[in-house]
Amino acid sequence: MARMVTTRRKVISTAAAWLVGFLIFFPILWMVLASFKTELEAFAIPPSFLFFHWTTENYATVQERSDYFHHALNSIIIAGGSTLIAMLIAIPAAWSMAFSPTKRTKDVLLWMLSTKMMPPVGVLVPIYLIYRTFGLLDTRSGLIFILCLGNLPIVIWMLFTYFKEIPKDILEAARMDGATIGRELIYVLTPMAVPGLASTLLLNLILAWNEAFWTLNLSTLEAAPLTVFIASYSSPEGLFWAKLSAASTLAIAPILVLGWFSQRQLVRGLTFGAVK
Amino acid sequence: MGQITLQGVQKSFGPVHIIKGADLDIADGSFVVFVGPSGCGKTTLLRLIAGLEDVTGGAILIDGRNVVDVPPAKRGLSMVFQSYALYPHMSVRGNIAFGLKMAGIARDEINRKVEAAAATLNLTPYLDRKPRELSGGQRQRVAIGRAIVREPKAFLFDEPLSNLDAALRVQMRLEVTRLQKQLGTTAIYVTHDQVEAMTMADKIVVLNGGRIEQYGSPLELYEKPANLFVAGFIGSPKMNFVTGEIAKQQGAATIGVRPEHLKVERDGQGGWHGTVSVAEHLGSDTFLYVDAGPLGMLTARYVGELDLHPGDRVSLIPDPARIHRFDDSGKSIHA
Ligand SMILES: Nc1ncnc2c1ncn2[C@@H]1O[C@H](COP(=O)(O)OP(=O)(O)O)[C@@H](O)[C@H]1O
Ligand SMILES: [Mg+2]
């Protein structure tokens, strides 16, 4: 009896998980489907699901009207650059806080997190004015800088929690085993920290890639990443569902692929290492 | 060689004095156990010897050389941690070999030594497993393997068996002692368990509140405890203490009698009278917890079975040759 109940429960929970998964995935699926419809069909009520006239003309139009590769390159440079710089600053910061904390360490961490609670729009005007004065508007370096600052607290928090997980005993064991600081770093610390570093890197790459507030407000064309590219398809003359879908599909494709191949690291990253 | 001497070693963390001046002479090849209640500074003292903490004052000599400014790696000691502290990303082989690799020893020799150590510890079938694929006892063995393979001047153990279950603990206790005797390497072993201390040690250091209360062989500590603390800490069940008039008659502030030195007589004449409040029958021994009125609760141990039950009146007769006497400050009075 007991076994039957557990199998039934397993079936139900599996079905529920699939249902939730499908609900979450559905908008993306719908967007991808819409990108292959004509504008008319994209609007049609009742909507057609799979049996419509498949076309790739939206992709052609989108590429013709705006330069996808230009924006994609900007996205790569901005997301990659800001993540890299944030990591370079955050690794030593999180390191020292995890391995030689002081009385104020917790306060500093909380203060850093508290900056994330401020709505960015609250400082938009001053930042905009500063950027204008220094000629940083619509530059990649300007966007790299602001995204890096924006993500830094999260990067430091994540790395801090990972480093904290590394037992001090193991480092001391390495020291007793005769490892110099350098070899301790190479042979013991880095291999143990790599999963944490990788998930932090990935998560922040994705956050920076998807960041839309600062990128939309501080760039127009030259430095504009894919977020601006998508936004340009919701114009005052009306929405072009099919083309907007095509643009969005193009914009999220790289990150979707990246996410797919790094699922495991990502889950670990998002749960701050609670799942192993 | 592994002769270790502590001279006035002190350690404070900020304003807090943890080790308040420790003097100690550890002979080469001996097995010395640091024992004491939790928080008394055993781990700290061990870490000072290891070099994982810096001394605040005093000197630590290894084979006559002061090593207080020498980093841990250069002291030639190896340590087994309570948490095992195995490298999780390395195989058993990698764990044991790591120290040798760091010392720049040739690969053939490393392999030979690692395999020899693994054979000694029955780890050969597991050499290619990761630590997470091992049981607690096996992990413990790997940690010990990592320590012995480097042929150090001394082993430092910090409560290495406290994470194992009781049966395995007894078995590993024997293995560690046997291994140490076989290798003849000096060992310092930290534990809060006085039974472990008594069974494993050549010499015991009893620590309390950052001070060394006594340093001696297990039997010395048992027979001639230096003070009330050692008397109460060493021996199981604990020594009975009696104060007041009876102690005064013996010229002491407190007298102590071990449970095994109290002769139990059913409703006898002499000695101290009381009522059995709990009787534990183990077959091999009988433990009696006796309410002796003004003398307090007394524990008596009888070897063999004694048919006594709660409520029975008994008299307890202390063996006069085995009465320990202590003065006002708690120090032993020796006749
Ligand atoms: N790094 C440290 N900073 C401050 N206090 C410490 C530190 N390490 C140990 N202590 C304190 O020193 C005392 C002795 O600790 P420890 O040597 O670990 O005791 P034991 O191993 O005998 O249980 C404890 O009160 C502990 O709180
Ligand atoms: Mg301890």
Side-chain angles (χ1 to χ4, degrees):
Chain A
M1 272 314 280
R3 176 159 301 167
M4 258 174 65
V5 172
T6 48
T7 13
R8 200 161 80 207
R9 265 170 69 172
K10 222 170 175 173
V11 168
I12 290 173
S13 58
T14 309
W18 275 99
L19 184 70
V20 171
F22 182 73
L23 282 178
I24 291 170
F25 177 66
F26 186 74
I28 296 173
L29 177 68
W30 194 250
M31 176 185 78
V32 175
L33 287 176
S35 73
F36 289 104
K37 296 174 180 174
T38 61
E39 288 296 346
L40 216 60
E41 263 175 321
F43 261 117
I45 290 178
S48 44
F49 189 62
L50 282 172
F51 307 102
F52 53 83
H53 176 68
W54 288 69
T55 171
T56 54
E57 76 181 74
N58 297 313
Y59 289 91
T61 322
V62 163
Q63 180 54 23
E64 201 175 293
R65 230 185 75 185
S66 46
D67 188 354
Y68 169 75
F69 291 102
H70 167 72
H71 295 295
L73 187 67
N74 279 339
S75 270
I76 291 170
I77 291 172
I78 292 164
S82 66
T83 303
L84 226 60
I85 294 172
M87 292 290 283
L88 285 182
I89 300 172
I91 289 174
W95 186 269
S96 54
M97 286 195 283
F99 288 109
S100 42
T102 66
K103 263 184 263 163
R104 296 261 165 268
T105 300
K106 278 271 171 249
D107 300 338
V108 171
L109 277 166
L110 278 176
W111 165 75
M112 280 196 283
L113 201 63
S114 74
T115 61
K116 288 305 285 178
M117 297 174 189
M118 177 188 64
V121 70
V123 289
L124 175 60
V125 173
I127 296 257
Y128 188 90
L129 293 178
I130 292 169
Y131 266 49
R132 197 181 60 188
T133 310
F134 289 96
L136 287 169
L137 286 176
D138 203 16
T139 63
R140 287 170 185 164
S141 46
L143 288 181
I144 288 177
F145 185 65
I146 195 86
L147 293 194
C148 171
L149 288 185
N151 282 342
L152 207 47
I154 295 180
V155 183
I156 292 180
W157 257 94
M158 284 185 70
L159 290 178
F160 173 77
T161 44
Y162 286 128
F163 290 162
K164 264 234 129 30
E165 264 181 44
I166 298 178
K168 253 188 156 161
D169 280 2
I170 295 182
L171 306 186
E172 290 179 342
R175 244 185 289 162
M176 291 298 295
D177 263 345
T180 56
I181 289 281
R183 289 170 142 202
E184 185 182 319
L185 255 162
I186 296 169
Y187 291 114
V188 181
L189 256 165
T190 314
M192 283 168 61
V194 157
L197 291 175
S199 15
T200 312
L201 190 95
L202 274 167
L203 189 68
N204 283 278
L205 211 56
I206 291 172
L207 285 179
W209 187 277
N210 293 341
E211 203 287 331
F213 180 78
W214 294 110
T215 47
L216 285 178
N217 281 300
L218 299 177
S219 70
T220 47
L221 190 66
E222 265 316 298
L226 287 166
T227 46
V228 178
F229 166 79
I230 301 175
S232 70
Y233 285 89
S234 77
S235 55
E237 308 96 70
L239 281 173
F240 295 93
W241 281 114
K243 290 189 192 63
L244 181 62
S245 297
S248 303
T249 305
L250 281 173
I252 66 164
I255 213 75
L256 220 57
V257 172
L258 182 72
W260 182 265
F261 285 110
S262 54
Q263 287 177 40
R264 209 201 273 238
Q265 297 293 342
L266 267 178
V267 170
R268 207 177 121 83
L270 288 166
T271 53
F272 279 76
V275 177
K276 294 234 167 103
Chain B
M1 279 294 282
Q3 201 243 336
I4 299 172
T5 307
L6 308 189
Q7 293 172 346
V9 170
Q10 297 187 29
K11 177 66 184 176
S12 359
F13 290 109
V16 196
H17 286 290
I18 302 296
I19 304 295
K20 298 159 186 161
D23 294 284
L24 203 60
D25 238 317
I26 296 173
D28 181 39
S30 63
F31 197 114
V32 172
V33 175
F34 292 177
V35 69
S38 179
C40 70
K42 305 179 294 288
T43 298
T44 306
L45 194 54
L46 194 73
R47 290 170 58 85
L48 287 170
I49 296 171
L52 294 170
E53 303 281 358
D54 293 322
V55 297
T56 313
I60 297 171
L61 311 183
I62 299 178
D63 291 336
R65 189 166 74 108
N66 191 354
V67 294
V68 290
D69 294 321
V70 177
K74 298 254 164 68
R75 294 191 185 189
L77 310 175
S78 59
M79 184 149 169
V80 177
F81 293 82
Q82 182 170 8
S83 60
Y84 316 143
L86 301 179
Y87 310 120
H89 54 288
M90 295 182 198
S91 63
V92 170
R93 184 188 295 278
N95 267 280
I96 299 177
F98 188 73
L100 299 174
K101 217 165 102 187
M102 291 300 109
I105 289 170
R107 181 180 303 225
D108 292 347
E109 200 180 338
I110 293 184
N111 281 338
R112 200 170 47 70
K113 287 188 170 180
V114 168
E115 267 147 35
T120 316
L121 292 161
N122 297 326
L123 284 170
T124 311
Y126 310 106
L127 272 174
D128 295 312
R129 292 214 197 157
K130 289 277 170 64
R132 63 169 177 277
E133 297 161 333
L134 301 176
S135 70
Q138 289 163 345
R139 287 179 204 185
Q140 183 57 73
R141 281 205 189 82
V142 177
I144 293 172
R146 194 168 64 176
I148 64 172
V149 78
R150 290 176 47 225
E151 296 166 15
K153 290 180 178 159
F155 300 126
L156 310 177
F157 294 96
D158 188 4
E159 311 219 10
L161 307 184
S162 58
N163 289 338
L164 303 178
D165 62 56
L168 200 53
R169 198 150 58 213
V170 173
Q171 186 199 329
M172 284 302 290
R173 194 163 87 192
L174 284 168
E175 276 187 47
V176 169
T177 328
R178 189 176 48 78
L179 194 64
Q180 192 269 343
K181 290 283 168 279
Q182 183 189 326
L183 298 170
T185 309
T186 312
I188 304 179
Y189 187 105
V190 163
T191 180
H192 63 267
D193 178 352
Q194 61 96 16
V195 177
E196 230 169 77
M198 293 295 280
T199 51
M200 299 178 85
D202 294 325
K203 277 188 145 189
I204 297 179
V205 177
V206 182
L207 282 165
N208 183 32
R211 277 184 212 290
I212 296 180
E213 298 278 355
Q214 193 170 0
Y215 179 40
S217 73
L219 278 184
E220 269 165 33
L221 265 56
Y222 178 82
E223 281 166 358
K224 293 198 180 69
N227 52 42
L228 275 174
F229 179 81
V230 177
F233 195 79
I234 299 291
S236 174
K238 273 183 62 160
M239 186 186 280
N240 296 296
F241 293 115
V242 174
T243 51
E245 207 43 53
I246 294 179
K248 260 200 208 98
Q249 284 166 13
Q250 307 257 357
T254 309
I255 57 169
V257 185
R258 295 199 183 276
E260 50 272 39
H261 301 145
L262 278 176
K263 199 168 131 214
V264 183
E265 277 186 8
R266 199 187 296 264
D267 236 351
Q269 294 307 308
W272 305 332
H273 300 279
T275 316
V276 174
S277 91
V278 178
E280 292 173 350
H281 302 275
L282 303 184
S284 59
D285 300 86
T286 311
F287 294 114
L288 299 174
Y289 300 91
V290 177
D291 185 352
L295 300 180
M297 287 297 283
L298 297 176
T299 312
R301 174 179 173 192
Y302 178 83
V303 178
E305 169 58 15
L306 195 58
D307 186 30
L308 281 170
H309 300 281
D312 290 351
R313 297 276 307 163
V314 289
S315 56
L316 303 171
I317 302 152
D319 176 351
R322 301 283 204 148
I323 295 178
H324 302 268
R325 298 181 302 145
F326 304 94
D327 66 17
D328 287 329
S329 63
K331 280 216 181 63
S332 281
I333 306 170
H334 293 293

